[in-house]
Amino acid sequence: IVRPFNEIPGLWKNGVFNLYNFWKMDGFRNLHRIMVHNFNTFGPIYREKIGYYESVNIIKPEDAAILFKAEGHYPKRLKVEAWTSYRDYRNRKYGVLLKNGEDWRSNRVILNKEVISLKMLENFVPLLDDVGQDFVARVHKKIERSGQNKWTTDLSQELFKYALESVSSVLYGERLGLMLDYIDPEAQHFIDCITLMFKTTSPMLYIPPSLLRQVGAKVWLDHVAAWDGIFNQADRCIQNIYRQLRQETEASKKYPGVLASLLMLDKLSIEDIKASITELMAGGVDTTSITLLWTLYELARHPNLQEELRAEVAAARAATQGDMQEMLRRIPLVKGALKETLRLHPVAVSLQRYTAEDIIIQNYHIPAGTLVQLGLYAMGRDPKVFFRPEQYQPARWLRSETHYFKSLGFGFGPRQCLGRRIAETEMQIFLIHMLENFRVEKERHVEVQSTFELILLPDKPIILTLKPL
Ligand code: HEM
Ligand code: 2DC
């Protein structure tokens, strides 16, 4: 017999009380660990209410499959009210990240062709390869200047610049110049604004932004300032391309970038294009850079594995004479490493959908319209889902066992990450160049864990040493 919704275990009766306890446990930064704890306490399904945020949480791949089959024609995630409140407050349009329903679908279909279709890779790869080469040249220079034949540093700022340069080169078809010694202070400000935007979002998941706005709370003011900085910089980049496009007399054969392609296609309004390009630019910085930082950290902890990856890259280079698009088809272990990084260190602590129809999960009835969350961080570390989950083993993704609904770092289905192809390609190319040029080492024994600032970030600086091969 199927059990009713109200019998799902968990703490969902008193949202205010739960919010108080959550705050006492420093839950704003520990969300991922609290979710693991809750699955351990209540089992593979639990219901929860914190503040005004109510959800059903699941952890099993087979339950994820049921959820995504019930996502309907217009999949909808948790509404991040801080983000929509800012847009409403400043009268700016929603892009594909925040739109829903038919408006979302019609925009997304057009964006898919320009941003996530495999056909675009031939345009993206040369642009991203250039950025990768420049990054490596920059590290060589840093090593030379150190006079010690090595460079020991917290790479996060360098990786932010690499990520922004990469995503911008694809969006705008031209370089910002962030791999140089002196960079545009506006670009640095943009990077800082993104970090601040994420950090100030997490408290507002549980306390309505409208309330925080009324009392003039600092977190709301900081959030507005952060988005203002993001939109101003994106507006400048977009204006720049728009102007160039109008001055150009004849069409050049060279790939002009996502923005110019969308403008020339003339299927979306300029305001819609601007909104989504801004989201792509902002979504493309902390996500890939942190995933790369975690990957370098894991490779530094596993020197033998690092050599295996290096050998795979060398063989791919030799077999293809350096044709990068070909090379990308011959590096399964490098791709496995990125999946493994996202398993242990996912950017998104959970995936969520509002169900479009009634479903049954773990023998409980879940009515249509319920917010259901798949605990991605918890699933990645669950020994019932992954054999020896604590071990970093890229090869587990090569074995023929089923990976049914287990590799979900970019989400699933038509609402999955729009930047996925850019992110994957950018990260693969980065690892190829790094493995071909440097050995990565870790100083002392420092255990780094995750902290939740809307996305999951390392809780302390990761200090790495790069040595030329
Ligand atoms: C959405 C992860 C990089 C832009 C998402 C979602 C996840 C995710 C989990 C939600 C998907 C869902 O609900 O099913 C990641 C990870 C990244 C990454 C792990 C890198 C390691 C990027 C990049 C961009 C980007 C580089 C931009 C170029 C977006 C956008 C959405 C999104 C626009 C919203 C799509 C929509 O609602 O239709 N991402 N992302 N992401 N991501 Fe990413
Ligand atoms: C955060 O409980 C935890 O890709 C919440 O590139 C539920 C939730 C909802 C939406 C998720 C968010 C979490 C994590 C960050 C995500 C976001 C959707 C898109 C965003 C996963 C899991 C991200 C990082 C985008 C950001 C785009 C940018 C313009 C803000």
Side-chain angles (χ1 to χ4, degrees):
I1 302 187
V2 177
R3 303 219 262 163
F5 189 58
N6 278 346
E7 284 180 17
I8 300 176
L11 294 169
W12 47 270
K13 296 222 164 110
N14 190 335
V16 179
F17 175 75
N18 294 338
L19 177 61
Y20 173 72
N21 278 329
F22 188 71
W23 171 76
K24 265 205 320 204
M25 288 160 81
D26 201 11
F28 289 150
R29 267 182 264 134
N30 282 318
L31 180 61
H32 50 303
R33 276 183 287 270
I34 291 178
M35 287 179 83
V36 171
H37 173 83
N38 286 338
F39 285 117
N40 287 335
T41 310
F42 299 119
I45 185 166
Y46 69 88
R47 210 174 139 184
E48 170 182 68
K49 185 169 183 183
I50 304 173
Y52 74 110
Y53 183 170
E54 209 182 333
S55 65
V56 169
N57 291 265
I58 59 174
I59 188 171
K60 295 206 170 291
E62 54 275 27
D63 294 341
I66 299 173
L67 172 63
F68 286 116
K69 273 170 199 151
E71 68 175 7
H73 202 44
Y74 306 113
K76 199 168 157 234
R77 276 192 293 276
L78 169 76
K79 174 171 164 189
V80 179
E81 284 210 21
W83 297 350
T84 53
S85 296
Y86 170 82
R87 304 284 171 107
D88 299 345
Y89 177 60
R90 286 284 194 237
N91 235 324
R92 291 187 189 272
K93 278 208 98 167
Y94 295 2
V96 78
L97 173 74
L98 301 178
K99 283 180 189 289
N100 279 313
E102 186 49 43
D103 189 24
W104 167 77
R105 218 187 62 90
S106 59
N107 276 249
R108 174 84 198 211
V109 164
I110 293 161
L111 287 165
N112 279 345
K113 288 205 200 81
E114 301 298 325
V115 184
I116 196 176
S117 79
L118 282 169
K119 215 182 71 202
M120 282 301 143
L121 280 190
E122 67 184 272
N123 295 322
F124 296 170
V125 167
L127 291 164
L128 295 172
D129 192 21
D130 266 356
V131 183
Q133 289 181 21
D134 287 357
F135 186 86
V136 161
R138 180 169 167 78
V139 175
H140 276 303
K141 209 154 80 182
K142 293 275 188 187
I143 291 174
E144 229 165 79
R145 281 187 204 155
S146 77
Q148 299 179 307
N149 205 34
K150 64 178 185 190
W151 187 33
T152 301
T153 186
D154 171 4
L155 270 177
S156 51
Q157 281 301 320
E158 294 298 326
L159 290 170
F160 288 159
K161 289 190 277 178
Y162 170 77
L164 178 56
E165 184 78 17
S166 294
V167 73
S168 303
S169 76
V170 166
L171 294 178
Y172 306 121
E174 58 182 40
R175 297 287 298 270
L176 296 185
L178 302 178
M179 299 291 98
L180 304 171
D181 280 338
Y182 298 100
I183 69 161
D184 179 6
E186 308 280 3
Q188 185 59 56
H189 182 62
F190 179 79
I191 290 172
D192 298 338
C193 283
I194 295 173
T195 308
L196 181 64
M197 179 275 290
F198 280 129
K199 194 191 170 81
T200 51
T201 302
S202 50
M204 291 192 268
L205 288 173
Y206 309 98
I207 307 164
S210 54
L211 191 105
L212 292 166
R213 189 180 134 190
Q214 270 170 34
V215 301
K218 179 167 158 42
V219 52
W220 167 255
L221 298 174
D222 286 349
H223 192 67
V224 168
W227 274 120
D228 282 346
I230 292 168
F231 272 93
N232 286 340
Q233 178 65 7
D235 278 347
R236 266 195 294 273
C237 294
I238 293 167
Q239 278 310 321
N240 193 22
I241 297 297
Y242 194 65
R243 211 176 318 114
Q244 283 179 32
L245 214 58
R246 289 174 56 177
Q247 281 165 0
E248 241 157 60
T249 39
E250 63 202 272
S252 79
K253 277 181 241 93
K254 162 173 159 287
Y255 174 68
V258 172
L259 170 60
S261 303
L262 287 169
L263 289 169
M264 292 187 293
L265 201 62
D266 201 24
K267 284 193 183 159
L268 293 177
S269 74
I270 294 189
E271 289 310 310
D272 276 341
I273 294 176
K274 276 173 129 179
S276 283
I277 290 287
T278 305
E279 290 168 358
L280 285 166
M281 194 178 172
V285 181
D286 296 36
T287 48
T288 50
S289 53
I290 294 302
T291 306
L292 286 173
L293 186 59
W294 279 120
T295 306
L296 294 178
Y297 169 78
E298 294 291 357
L299 296 183
R301 294 210 297 175
H302 302 91
N304 296 336
L305 172 67
Q306 188 181 143
E307 293 312 319
E308 263 180 73
L309 291 177
R310 209 182 324 279
E312 182 186 76
V313 169
R317 173 77 68 187
T320 60
Q321 282 96 46
D323 173 338
M324 188 49 82
Q325 241 191 300
E326 248 327 293
M327 263 186 100
L328 294 175
R329 290 191 199 111
R330 294 169 190 247
I331 49 165
L333 199 60
V334 171
K335 292 177 181 173
L338 287 166
K339 283 192 184 171
E340 196 64 347
T341 301
L342 287 174
R343 176 178 71 79
L344 285 168
H345 316 283
V347 170
V349 64
S350 73
L351 304 175
Q352 338 75 41
R353 293 291 184 264
Y354 291 92
T355 50
E357 51 191 271
D358 287 23
I359 48 175
I360 296 164
I361 294 187
Q362 295 292 324
N363 215 26
Y364 288 102
H365 173 247
I366 296 172
T370 305
L371 178 65
V372 181
Q373 298 204 89
L374 169 70
L376 204 57
Y377 176 92
M379 181 180 92
R381 289 163 185 259
D382 184 349
K384 292 190 220 67
V385 179
F386 293 98
F387 180 65
R388 297 202 178 131
E390 71 291 350
Q391 294 183 5
Y392 187 83
Q393 286 181 1
R396 74 168 84 230
W397 299 101
L398 307 183
R399 288 191 285 269
S400 54
E401 64 192 76
T402 76
H403 306 300
Y404 188 67
F405 282 91
K406 286 188 179 186
S407 171
L408 293 172
F410 291 97
F412 177 83
R415 188 105 217 197
Q416 72 178 278
C417 178
L418 177 60
R420 177 176 192 160
R421 287 276 118 72
I422 297 174
E424 287 174 340
T425 312
E426 169 193 327
M427 296 193 296
Q428 290 158 11
I429 288 176
F430 176 92
L431 290 176
I432 288 176
H433 287 300
M434 288 300 279
L435 285 161
E436 286 182 316
N437 283 274
F438 311 105
R439 184 160 288 120
V440 190
E441 292 172 10
K442 202 161 79 69
E443 291 287 88
R444 285 157 276 103
H445 181 79
V446 203
E447 268 303 312
V448 186
Q449 298 196 325
S450 292
T451 183
F452 175 76
E453 294 193 359
L454 198 82
I455 58 172
L456 289 173
L457 299 175
D459 67 349
K460 45 180 94 62
I462 295 180
I463 310 295
L464 297 170
T465 299
L466 301 174
K467 294 182 177 168
L469 289 173

